[in-house]
Amino acid sequence: MEVGFLGLGIMGKAISMNLLRNGFKVTVWNRTLSKCDELVAHGATVGGSPAEVIKKCTITIGMLADPAAALSVVFDKGGVLEQICPGKGYIDMSTVDHETSIKISQAITSKGGHFLEAPVSGSKQPAETGQLVILSAGEKALYDEAISALNVIGKKAFFLGEVGNGAKMKLVVNMIMGCMMNTFSEGLVLAEKSGLDPRTLLDVLDLGGIANPMFKGKGPTMLQSNYAPAFPLKHQQKDMRLALALGDENAVSMPIAAAANEAFKKARSLGLGDNDFSAVFEVVKDLKRSS
């Protein structure tokens, strides 16, 4: 199977490389053309526009930074809509709000194309090793057709029904993750300020009922002030904002998520947006110093 891929950020590049390693032919496109070079060296070909990739490939995947970028790739000149047609499928793995996903779906299907939203849970390392969790919704026939690629990309692919459900599930997951990262940061600071070794706290957490891969993986690097981006903080804050909007729509009170969002916003204002989302730890440390 030849797969098209639009968007080669941290996640898109890792997923494309994984597909190549597993024997898929891959045609890639990115606004910054130089980001295609490493993939070309591993056997990928380059499309001059999203439309060119759609024309060449039966199934094309998009992984864009935010709703504006996801819409641009579809609707702008040279975009997906120029070549989508019966027999062609578009899978959007971007993390967007459900309204954006529905708008893209309606545009694709109005031209006879097939659409699946499939945002993923996981960051750079799971993307490199095919251990993502895929939250798909939309046309079941496209899901079934793409399952061989989805099984390479992720350790589990869920089909959640109608378009919008995948987007909603991803926002709920990332909202929980963002709240956990803030609480974790506060715990590390509290331990140190109380005269405890935060590294011992990491060992204690890893042996208890709230042990999880995020604490285990992020904790040591946070204590070293190492925030090499696996999932950029600016994207986490975007997801918190979209999750809060979903809460507004459904009249769900979310005070903890709202507070976490403010911490991520503060981190962005300090120039930490391109760092890993765990860099919110720096904001928590500063707040504790000033209190």
Side-chain angles (χ1 to χ4, degrees), residues 4-81:
F5 209 99
L6 312 178
L8 301 176
I10 291 172
M11 295 294 288
K13 179 181 176 182
I15 293 170
S16 297
M17 193 71 76
N18 187 38
L19 287 168
L20 287 166
R21 283 197 302 267
N22 281 276
F24 287 84
K25 296 179 179 179
V26 182
T27 298
V28 297
W29 172 87
N30 194 75
R31 292 186 193 281
T32 304
L33 190 60
S34 60
K35 288 192 175 183
C36 300
D37 292 347
E38 185 177 353
L39 290 161
V40 169
H42 284 82
T45 56
V46 179
S49 67
E52 285 188 23
V53 177
I54 292 286
K55 184 177 181 179
K56 183 179 181 184
C57 303
T58 303
I59 295 176
T60 299
I61 299 170
M63 175 68 89
L64 294 311
D66 54 32
L71 290 167
S72 174
V73 160
V74 173
F75 290 96
D76 284 1
K77 181 176 174 58
V80 169
L81 284 185

Side-chain angles (χ1 to χ4, degrees), residues 6-7 29 62-66 69-70 73 90 92-96 238:
L6 312 178
W29 172 87
M63 175 68 89
L64 294 311
D66 54 32
V73 160
Y90 183 59
D92 192 353
M93 289 189 160
S94 314
T95 299
V96 299
K238 176 261 298 181

Side-chain angles (χ1 to χ4, degrees), residues 121-137:
S121 180
S123 58
K124 181 181 178 182
Q125 194 273 337
E128 291 173 338
T129 56
Q131 293 297 298
L132 296 168
V133 178
I134 301 169
L135 307 171
S136 57

Side-chain angles (χ1 to χ4, degrees), residues 108-109 113-117 137-144 159 161 163:
I108 296 291
T109 56
H114 306 284
F115 180 77
L116 191 73
E117 62 172 352
E139 293 192 52
K140 185 62 162 56
L142 179 55
Y143 173 84
D144 292 338
F159 183 76
V163 172

Side-chain angles (χ1 to χ4, degrees), residues 246-267:
L246 184 62
D248 288 345
E249 182 180 328
N250 290 281
V252 176
S253 178
M254 298 166 60
I256 296 171
N261 184 47
E262 291 302 316
F264 286 117
K265 284 163 62 177
K266 178 66 174 177

Side-chain angles (χ1 to χ4, degrees), residues 188-189 192 198-199 202 217-229 272 275-276 278-283 285-286 289:
L188 291 172
V189 173
E192 185 174 17
R199 291 169 296 185
L202 297 181
K218 299 290 186 186
T221 57
M222 290 164 68
L223 294 177
Q224 298 165 8
S225 298
N226 176 3
Y227 306 115
L272 298 172
N275 289 273
D276 189 74
S278 57
V280 75
F281 185 41
E282 295 298 316
V283 172
K285 285 192 291 186
D286 282 341
R289 290 191 193 107

